[in-house]
Amino acid sequence: MSAAAIERVHEIAVLRARIAAWRAAALRVGFVPTMGNLHEGHLALVDLARRHADRVVASVFVNPTQFGPGEDYARYPRTLEADAAALAARGCDLLYAPTVEAMYPDGSQGLVEVRVPALDDVLCGAFRPGHFRGVATVVAKLLNQVQPEVAVFGEKDWQQLLVVRALVRGLDLPVEIVPGPTLRESDGLAMSSRNQYLSADERRRASVIYATLIQVADAVRGGQDPVAAESSGRSALEAEGFVVDYVAVRSAGDLGPPAAGRPRIVLIAARLGSTRLIDNLLVDR
Ligand code: PAF
């Protein structure tokens, strides 16, 4: 049985009208922002939003302001028809797919930016200058457009999740942020739209990221010095042909240095050929 088609909205005014009608009926709105090319990891976020809300909106927007020069903005997979079908099958109520012009009517001229300085230039921010400014800006705009009671963000982008929590707190946005657990392939590779860039050989080697996260987390939990654990994690990845941006053991709450009594997390960003992959694992759940 094929699911009914999902309603698609491209304009902010139409989005607002739909949501106003729900709100008038006292329905709780859940929101899942995405860049499309949806996989099971995204759809699990839709299921999670559904558990917290009466109506679920998913957005599909490949946000130009979070890609740096030479990154994969142009080749990022755009599969709106398949995304719409997958969302419909999952019982999502509305697909919001704004155009770049609707989202950034003034282009880069007069662009209003949101920044979370404490998280802006560490880890992925150091390797992708401006990335989190782009993320924070578009997420603030999307949250303001949809005005959901609840919004769901995947834990795979841990730093992004912290940036979003910080901007919600800093801008006093009345929304609850719910984290969605990372979904993995059977060999442990975290689901990501970027996995499809990998050749068959790279795809086989990519599972080493998760194995390395487990190795580093176990070592740190067992009392090994975090710097030594990071260094052996880096060697394990390099032995498989990765170019490693970082293997980092940090405090999970603010990405500061690991400290006694605070939950720790291991984060990895590493490149295989032209594909950059990220993943993380909590040391202390
Ligand atoms: O995680 C993503 O897909 C994007 O960074 C987000 C949150 C949709 C903002 O463009």
Side-chain angles (χ1 to χ4, degrees), residues 19 23 27-33 45-58 142-143 146-153 164-165 168 173-180:
I19 288 173
R23 193 138 292 125
L27 296 170
R28 248 172 96 80
V29 179
F31 178 42
V32 183
L45 301 181
V46 171
D47 294 344
L48 186 54
R50 162 72 62 208
R51 293 207 284 280
H52 289 263
D54 305 304
R55 293 287 181 272
V56 178
V57 180
L142 287 165
L143 290 175
V146 178
Q147 302 197 356
E149 270 80 16
V150 177
V152 180
F153 289 81
V164 169
R165 283 194 188 289
V168 163
L173 300 182
V175 58
E176 179 192 350
I177 301 301
V178 173

Side-chain angles (χ1 to χ4, degrees), residues 189-255:
L189 177 65
M191 289 187 187
S192 163
S193 301
R194 291 188 166 103
N195 292 349
Q196 65 197 267
Y197 298 153
L198 300 168
S199 69
D201 175 54
E202 289 169 342
R203 172 65 191 80
R204 263 191 305 279
R205 288 185 280 146
S207 65
V208 175
I209 294 182
Y210 186 53
T212 304
L213 285 170
I214 293 174
Q215 174 201 311
V216 175
D218 282 350
V220 171
R221 215 180 282 118
Q224 193 180 13
D225 168 44
V227 175
E230 288 170 355
S231 160
S232 23
R234 176 177 281 268
S235 304
L237 288 164
E238 286 172 352
E240 286 296 330
F242 282 88
V243 174
V244 178
D245 282 354
Y246 58 81
V247 176
V249 180
R250 297 291 171 95
S251 282
D254 62 5
L255 302 182

Side-chain angles (χ1 to χ4, degrees), residues 33-35 42 61 63 66 131 135 138-139 142 153 157 160:
T34 82
M35 297 206 299
H42 294 111
F61 180 65
N63 173 36
Q66 70 187 75
H131 169 67
V135 169
V138 82
V139 169
L142 287 165
F153 289 81
D157 291 304
Q160 168 173 285

Side-chain angles (χ1 to χ4, degrees), residues 17-178:
R18 289 293 175 283
I19 288 173
W22 289 341
R23 193 138 292 125
L27 296 170
R28 248 172 96 80
V29 179
F31 178 42
V32 183
T34 82
M35 297 206 299
N37 194 241
L38 304 181
H39 49 66
E40 192 53 35
H42 294 111
L43 298 172
L45 301 181
V46 171
D47 294 344
L48 186 54
R50 162 72 62 208
R51 293 207 284 280
H52 289 263
D54 305 304
R55 293 287 181 272
V56 178
V57 180
S59 64
V60 169
F61 180 65
V62 185
N63 173 36
T65 67
Q66 70 187 75
F67 290 81
E71 292 189 352
D72 56 343
Y73 176 66
R75 71 166 173 151
Y76 199 87
R78 289 155 170 88
T79 54
L80 193 62
E81 293 307 316
D83 293 345
L87 289 168
R90 217 54 172 234
C92 185
D93 297 287
L94 190 69
L95 165 53
Y96 175 46
T99 60
V100 173
E101 294 70 31
M103 194 58 96
Y104 298 111
D106 303 321
S108 55
Q109 292 298 309
L111 174 68
V112 174
E113 288 185 323
V114 177
R115 256 192 83 201
V116 179
L119 293 163
D120 217 25
D121 55 7
V122 299
L123 300 178
C124 278
F127 290 90
R128 303 184 69 189
H131 169 67
F132 288 113
R133 223 178 316 149
V135 169
T137 300
V138 82
V139 169
K141 288 170 71 71
L142 287 165
L143 290 175
N144 211 23
Q145 291 165 2
V146 178
Q147 302 197 356
E149 270 80 16
V150 177
V152 180
F153 289 81
E155 290 181 346
K156 185 174 89 72
D157 291 304
W158 188 266
Q159 189 170 0
Q160 168 173 285
L161 179 62
L162 297 184
V163 166
V164 169
R165 283 194 188 289
L167 84 86
V168 163
R169 204 168 45 244
L171 296 176
D172 308 305
L173 300 182
V175 58
E176 179 192 350
I177 301 301
V178 173

